[in-house]
Amino acid sequence: MACIATCAPVLIPYLLGEGKGIVRNYWVTCQFLFGRLLGYLLFAGLAWTISSTILQEVVLRNIIIGVAYILFSVLLIFYGFFMKNDDSCKAACNKNKYERLLAIFPALLPVAAGLATGLSFCPPFLLAFTGAAEQTSLVKSLLFFFSFFLGTSLLFVLAPFVGVLSRFSVLQIVGKMAAGIMGLYYLYSGSIMLIGGWKIL
Amino acid sequence: MNKDTVGIVRANQQPDILKTLILCLPMIIMTLLMLSAGKLPTDPVRLTAFILTFCFINAIFFLMIRTGETDSWRSILFVIYAVCFVISFISHLIEDRGSMAISRADMIEGLTPFCHIVIPMTLIPAALTKTIIFPGTIIGAKHAIAGMFVLWIGSSLALGRGFCSWVCFFGGMDEGFSRLFKRARINNINPKWTYLPYAVLLVVVLASALTLAPFYCEWLCPFKTVTEYSAITSLKTSIQAIIFISLFIALVMVLPALTKRRIQCSLFCPMGAFQSFTNKINVFDVCVNPERCIKCNKCIQTCPTFSISEETIAQGKTATTCMKCGKCIDACKQKAVFYHVKGTPLIGGNVEIYRRLFIYPAFIFLATMSGGFVQDAIVRIVRLITTGSMY
């Protein structure tokens, strides 16, 4: 439940804003989960290197996550409040560079969302992090986090069905705006983490 | 007489003084009982405050009945109610705690007053964890959680989203600022922003379920500026305070004054969005008679909550966001916009009867909610003038 609670505020608004049908939503959820896996594997590496020094680990963690959160928040804010609706704006519209970027890499936002939420510290994640830190090799640490990812991903089986509601155009607008508001929260979280890492340095 | 003009009561057909007094009699008795709680105050200052409040509230209701106008009189009491709420609430906080800030110790003891805006955020965590995610007291204390829930359920059943114009103690603030200037300085507001409260609602409900804490109260509530807030002890609480004050200035003061609309209530408040759903189960609504409508668009221009558009007029109704304030009804000289009781005929009904059926329960809620705060604020102001202290 903690995993769902961490990811739902990002994934559900995105599915509402973007989802087109159950199959398409499963694809979006897979992209999201792929990003989440990347975040976990990044942490697996970090957990393995924890033996270097505690100070470096905290600084590195704050800076990596802070930067990731800020980049992700910019994407979310742009998606929520500034991106033109595809239906009302076909090829004739002048797209800015962010819109062009998202048009070329449509998976960028769900993968970034998965990565950012994968880097968060929900209670089961902290337990997994502690377990991975006790592993003696990088491969074992990576496998530990991969297992954790597989176990928690089962909870996302039902998420795509929420996106079916997005056929109501009003819910698409609401979902996009909600994603933008979550972006503002991640912008704050990322900034605080960067400041925290900077202070320790 | 033409079928659609049957029962239309014009200004010169308003009841005479005697009939108005008879129509006001139930309200006089109800407010006497509600405001006195069964016994009159013995303290001369409190007794004076009681008499002033009682007379003022009943004068407002008398004028509503006599003139046939709703919003013009409602807004006076509603704005005064909000101002008196702030005076009374802050002075009580300072009297009890010595500060508007709430400490961790007070939260742990459950001394935080519960506010209705928290209600949507508590529902999912309550279902999942069987706990109310708010550092307040369920029953027995001042501003207890159970009391606010009962009030909210009762007023939602009676008024639907009319709650936001007749019951909410915050609503009068942006309404007051929206009436500062005669003309709007900003007229073109993209209608897509009317969906923002639903987005805020979605975020605060999900984030509150995630953090098991009332997310809106911690991060987004502009009214923390004039009620209470977490004691500023860290960078996080400083940022929260900056957010609260900025949102209050922007959404409750500046934008309502410039647009003449209730911006906080209609474009941001998650409780308002949540309350819109209760309009579906409520017996009253505001309807438009397209046959009488001359398409002057005055109702669209005056609606403080963006709840009337050309599309809704064509459908003969207002949007689900309608707060039933009555401003559009007062503005329509053709009497094409009117309060309506669901299930009764749209054309040919007596709209003045419909209006009275609505304003009786609505005004009882407004009088009951505002009465205590207005009385207390008068007492505090008198104390301030006579002794130099409100406490």
Side-chain angles (χ1 to χ4, degrees):
Chain A
M1 287 312 290
C3 293
I4 278 284
T6 305
C7 299
V10 175
L11 182 60
I12 288 176
Y14 183 75
L15 285 175
L16 281 175
E18 201 61 25
K20 298 277 193 285
I22 292 176
V23 176
R24 164 77 185 145
N25 289 342
Y26 265 108
W27 178 234
V28 170
T29 307
C30 286
Q31 290 167 345
F32 177 85
L33 290 176
F34 173 69
R36 196 160 149 261
L37 176 63
L38 283 182
Y40 283 177
L41 294 182
L42 189 68
F43 257 101
L46 195 69
W48 180 69
T49 55
I50 201 166
S51 55
S52 51
T53 68
I54 292 293
L55 181 68
Q56 278 177 3
E57 185 269 325
V58 171
V59 172
L60 195 63
R61 188 193 74 187
N62 279 349
I63 291 173
I64 290 173
I65 299 173
V67 170
Y69 272 20
I70 289 172
L71 289 177
F72 165 63
S73 70
V74 170
L75 278 174
L76 266 188
I77 293 166
F78 170 75
Y79 168 77
F81 295 117
F82 300 105
M83 202 164 104
K84 292 184 186 82
N85 194 335
D86 281 340
D87 294 338
S88 60
C89 171
K90 301 285 179 190
C93 276
N94 289 327
K95 292 188 170 180
N96 61 35
K97 58 184 175 183
Y98 293 107
E99 285 174 310
R100 283 199 298 271
L101 185 68
L102 286 176
I104 297 166
F105 304 109
L108 183 63
L109 197 55
V111 171
L115 181 67
T117 53
L119 295 177
S120 67
F121 286 93
C122 60
F125 181 88
L126 285 173
L127 284 174
F129 188 82
T130 315
E134 288 166 2
Q135 305 302 317
T136 49
S137 76
L138 177 61
V139 177
K140 279 185 180 175
S141 183
L142 289 171
L143 277 174
F144 190 92
F145 260 101
F146 187 69
S147 311
F148 178 72
F149 165 77
L150 285 181
T152 53
S153 294
L154 286 175
L155 297 166
F156 289 85
V157 170
L158 295 176
F161 290 94
V162 176
V164 174
L165 296 170
S166 67
R167 64 195 168 90
F168 300 107
S169 59
V170 169
L171 286 178
Q172 278 195 340
I173 300 169
V174 170
K176 280 190 174 182
M177 285 180 168
I181 297 169
M182 282 312 296
L184 291 170
Y185 183 70
Y186 272 91
L187 182 64
Y188 159 79
S189 303
S191 307
I192 291 294
M193 284 199 150
L194 266 187
I195 293 168
W198 191 22
K199 266 187 177 174
I200 298 167
L201 268 176
Chain B
M1 195 181 281
N2 191 337
K3 191 184 170 192
D4 69 340
T5 60
V6 172
I8 299 291
V9 181
R10 296 190 182 283
N12 59 359
Q13 292 175 302
Q14 289 305 318
D16 58 29
I17 288 183
L18 184 65
K19 194 177 173 190
T20 307
L21 279 172
I22 293 168
L23 285 169
C24 290
L25 200 58
M27 191 58 69
I28 292 169
I29 296 167
M30 285 294 288
T31 49
L32 185 67
L33 290 172
M34 291 286 190
L35 297 183
S36 66
K39 61 175 184 180
L40 291 175
T42 48
D43 174 48
V45 177
R46 289 215 164 264
L47 183 64
T48 311
F50 167 79
I51 293 167
L52 283 175
T53 309
F54 174 75
C55 293
F56 171 65
I57 284 175
N58 281 290
I60 293 279
F61 190 72
F62 177 88
L63 289 165
M64 269 189 191
I65 298 290
R66 180 88 175 106
T67 61
E69 290 179 2
T70 309
D71 178 69
S72 326
W73 307 112
R74 178 204 61 83
S75 64
I76 295 171
L77 180 55
F78 196 54
V79 173
I80 289 174
Y81 164 35
V83 174
C84 291
F85 165 75
V86 172
I87 294 170
S88 171
F89 192 81
I90 291 177
S91 54
H92 271 286
L93 284 182
I94 295 174
E95 194 173 52
D96 294 345
R97 296 184 196 148
S99 163
M100 277 171 72
I102 184 162
S103 64
R104 284 271 156 208
D106 288 336
M107 285 190 201
I108 291 165
E109 280 185 47
L111 295 177
T112 318
F114 189 77
C115 143
H116 53 273
I117 300 180
V118 192
I119 289 171
M121 286 168 266
T122 59
L123 300 179
I124 292 178
L128 293 176
T129 65
K130 296 185 175 60
T131 51
I132 300 285
I133 52 157
F134 190 83
T137 309
I138 302 282
I139 49 169
K142 238 188 307 186
H143 312 293
I145 296 169
M148 192 55 82
F149 261 89
V150 169
L151 176 75
W152 169 68
I153 291 167
S155 53
S156 297
L157 288 172
L159 311 173
R161 200 176 171 183
F163 178 93
C164 302
S165 282
W166 296 84
V167 185
C168 179
F169 33 72
F170 295 128
M173 293 183 213
D174 64 346
E175 173 148 1
F177 282 101
S178 74
R179 288 168 186 264
L180 273 185
F181 300 117
K182 207 165 185 181
R183 288 179 59 195
R185 265 61 171 179
I186 300 172
N187 287 307
N188 296 323
I189 295 169
N190 190 328
K192 82 167 186 179
W193 291 112
T194 54
Y195 298 118
L196 187 60
Y198 297 96
V200 177
L201 177 66
L202 181 62
V203 167
V204 298
V205 166
L206 291 174
S208 300
L210 154 69
T211 58
L212 292 182
F215 187 82
Y216 183 78
C217 311
E218 286 188 347
W219 289 101
L220 297 170
C221 181
F223 297 112
K224 292 282 172 201
T225 311
V226 288
T227 52
E228 61 173 354
Y229 48 84
S230 294
I232 299 172
T233 53
S234 63
L235 177 64
K236 182 184 171 186
T237 47
S238 309
I239 291 173
Q240 286 169 337
I242 292 168
I243 292 172
F244 298 149
I245 294 167
S246 309
L247 287 176
F248 187 81
I249 292 170
L251 298 173
V252 182
M253 297 171 76
V254 177
L255 286 173
L258 294 177
T259 59
K260 286 190 73 64
R261 314 264 185 171
R262 289 173 61 180
I263 297 296
Q264 155 65 21
C265 302
S266 53
L267 300 188
F268 194 74
C269 180
M271 180 64 191
F274 187 65
Q275 200 63 22
S276 293
F277 300 117
T278 65
N279 262 350
K280 295 283 183 194
I281 55 162
N282 174 243
V283 72
F284 298 106
D285 54 4
V286 174
C287 287
V288 184
N289 182 344
E291 291 174 23
R292 297 189 66 80
C293 177
I294 57 165
K295 311 234 172 341
C296 65
N297 286 354
K298 266 191 183 159
C299 51
I300 299 173
Q301 289 155 13
T302 55
C303 177
T305 61
F306 309 92
S307 298
I308 305 189
S309 61
E310 285 173 13
E311 292 81 49
T312 64
I313 290 174
Q315 293 165 1
K317 59 181 185 179
T318 53
T320 49
T321 50
C322 175
M323 296 183 199
K324 298 168 189 165
C325 62
K327 201 169 184 180
C328 54
I329 298 169
D330 287 359
C332 183
K333 301 297 174 206
Q334 301 300 313
K335 301 283 179 192
V337 191
F338 55 92
Y339 286 117
H340 172 248
V341 182
K342 286 175 187 169
T344 59
L346 277 172
I347 296 173
N350 188 328
V351 295
E352 183 57 18
I353 297 286
Y354 294 159
R355 189 181 80 92
R356 285 176 198 161
L357 283 173
F358 174 74
I359 64 169
Y360 271 105
F363 198 85
I364 284 171
F365 273 104
L366 179 57
T368 310
M369 288 297 291
S370 64
F373 291 116
V374 174
Q375 282 185 80
D376 193 56
I378 292 172
V379 171
R380 301 271 169 181
I381 291 165
V382 170
R383 273 191 207 157
L384 181 68
I385 294 167
T386 54
T387 67
S389 168
M390 277 183 158
Y391 320 112

